[in-house]
Amino acid sequence: MTLFGDGLDAAVQKAFTRPAPKTAGPQMRYLVKQLKGTRAAAGLLGISQRQVERYVAGKAKNPRAGLAARLEREVKKRWQPQIRAKAREKAASTGGIVIDTRARMGYDAPIGSTDESRIRHLTVALPPQYAARLFDAQEAGASDRELKEIAAEALKEVYFQDGGRRAGSLEEVRFTDVEHLEFEL
């Protein structure tokens, strides 16, 4: 996926109550059950239906690296959907989301102000409306650039403008060269 999309997924996965299956056999059985058949699982993973059946039966155990990564990604995407939905709903309605990032940030402001971009390490609690916008955009298939724009707008309001108490003439925040990004619910 993307840096921002993967970060949001990782934050939601911390809310899981049980760990997802770790080995190929249980992962494949779970995926077959979710997709209601070996043919659908095979099509999703890009392998033959017979190979899926081998993993389900326990005859094949060690997938190649590419298949193992796809299998893990698809299982985690479908794991505990109700827990995932509750975590997103809580963040979007009451809890908000915390963003921890190290990136180059600058802003567009009136002439005479210090708007030079520089590397900043920020840990900022974003209000629930921005968590809702991030999750809604991710659900709608937004690109990494669009998610970054929402995060930049949130940082502009919460960090640079402090909820309207300062820097009222700030126009736009530039959020580039992301070295580290992590979300916490």
Side-chain angles (χ1 to χ4, degrees):
M1 196 183 234
T2 60
L3 180 66
F4 282 79
D6 288 344
L8 289 170
D9 283 340
V12 170
Q13 288 172 7
K14 291 176 185 173
F16 287 166
T17 57
R18 291 180 295 137
K22 300 225 185 307
T23 58
Q27 285 176 334
M28 194 65 76
R29 284 190 285 281
Y30 176 78
L31 204 54
V32 167
K33 184 177 178 184
Q34 291 296 308
L35 298 174
K36 296 178 178 37
T38 56
R39 179 172 291 164
L44 180 70
L45 296 171
I47 58 175
S48 71
Q49 184 177 354
R50 182 69 190 120
Q51 188 63 26
V52 171
E53 292 167 356
R54 285 188 201 106
Y55 282 108
V56 169
K59 293 178 182 169
K61 295 183 190 292
N62 299 321
R64 291 192 178 108
L67 174 60
R70 286 192 308 271
L71 185 58
E72 183 177 355
R73 183 180 64 243
E74 294 300 330
V75 167
K76 282 189 175 179
K77 189 188 300 184
R78 290 166 176 77
W79 189 250
Q80 294 190 331
Q82 292 173 338
I83 302 290
R84 181 185 306 271
K86 283 180 187 176
R88 286 179 174 213
E89 179 60 34
K90 182 180 176 194
S93 61
T94 59
I97 193 166
V98 175
I99 182 172
D100 178 39
T101 185
R102 180 171 164 79
R104 181 169 299 281
M105 288 184 225
Y107 49 87
D108 293 334
I111 296 175
S113 63
T114 326
D115 62 352
E116 199 64 34
S117 291
R118 67 176 191 246
I119 296 287
R120 300 173 193 248
H121 183 203
L122 302 176
T123 302
V124 179
L126 304 179
Q129 68 263 24
Y130 285 108
R133 285 184 58 198
L134 283 166
F135 286 130
D136 290 345
Q138 182 190 27
E139 193 76 25
S143 68
D144 202 38
R145 183 183 56 78
E146 294 167 321
L147 293 172
K148 188 190 315 185
E149 288 172 5
I150 294 170
E153 185 181 328
L155 289 172
K156 171 188 166 190
E157 181 185 317
V158 176
Y159 177 75
F160 289 104
Q161 291 183 326
D162 194 19
R165 288 191 283 273
R166 64 175 182 212
S169 59
L170 196 64
E171 296 166 11
E172 181 184 357
V173 171
R174 290 184 303 276
F175 187 21
T176 58
D177 302 335
V178 180
E179 295 175 4
H180 167 78
L181 178 74
E182 191 175 332
F183 291 100
E184 188 76 36
L185 299 180

